Amino acid sequence: MLLIGSWWRNRRRRKLCAEPFPDVWEELLHRNAAFFSKLMPQQQAKLRDDLRVFIAEKDWEGCNGLKMSDEIQVTIAANACLLALELPEGMFDRVRTILVYPGDYVVPDRSVGPDGVVREGPSARHGEAWLRGPVILSWSNALEGGQNSRDGRNVVFHEFAHQLDMLDGVVDGMPPLAGKAQQQRWQQITRQAQAELHHDLRHGRPTLLDPYAATNAQEFFAVATECFFERSKAMRKRQPELYGLLSDYYRQDPAGRSGK
Ligand SMILES: [Zn+2]
C-alpha cells in the first residue's frame, strides 16, 4: 500500500515538474527570494521543482482575512526549500498545513515562572513551528526576510529549521544526524558557541547571532540557520567551526557563492 502510494506521489510530482514554470513565478523568485540569483543553474532548477511540489502538497490557509496568493506561496515555498535543497528528499513532508497571517499575530501566552505561578497574557509573534503540526507565519515578516538576504533575519528559514530539528520527534536543537560521532561533534560545537554567546551578552559585546539564539538549544539552531544563509561570510570568518558544522549539515556553502 505504501509502495503504491509513493508510486502515485512520484508520478504526480514528475507530471507537475514537467509543466513549464510560470513566468510570473520566476519574477517572484527573483524579487522575493534574494538568494535565488546567487545559486548555480542546476540548483535553481532543483529549487523550481522543489517549490512546485511544496506548493501543491501543502494546505495553505490565509488567516485574519489574508487572501492566499501566488506571491505568498512562491515566496514562502522558495525560502523553505532553500534549506532542504541538498538534503535527502521529503524533509518537509510532515508539514501538512501552512497558516499565514497578514502581519504579527497575537496569541494567548502561558508561562510558568520560577515561583510556580502561571502567567497568561497575549504575545505578538512572527511565526511558529509545531511538532507534527502546522507552520504559522506572518506574511509581512516572511516577505521582508525573503527580500533582504543580508540582515540575518528570515522567519521562514527560522521556522523550517525548527521543523528539521523536529524530524526525530525531539525538539532539542539537533536534527537527525548519521551517527554518534556526528552527534558528539554537533553538541560540542553548538554548546561551545552558546557558551561564547552567553559570555558576550553578559559583557555587553556585539554578537553575530541575534541574542534570541541564547534562549535555548532549539532557538540557537534556528537563529544560527538564519545567520548561516544570510550572513554566511561573516559567520565563516568569525565562527568557522559553527559555519563548517552547518555547511556539512545543509551540504551547502553559501559563503562560497559569488557576490555574498
Ligand atoms: Zn524559534
Side-chain angles (χ1 to χ4, degrees), residues 158-159 162 212 218-219 222:
H158 185 106
E159 301 309 333
H162 281 316
Y212 190 60
Q218 49 267 39
E219 295 308 337

Side-chain angles (χ1 to χ4, degrees), residues 126-141:
H126 304 327
E128 278 168 82
W130 287 64
L131 181 65
R132 288 182 274 276
V135 167
I136 309 173
L137 293 162
S138 139
W139 167 231
S140 61
N141 280 279

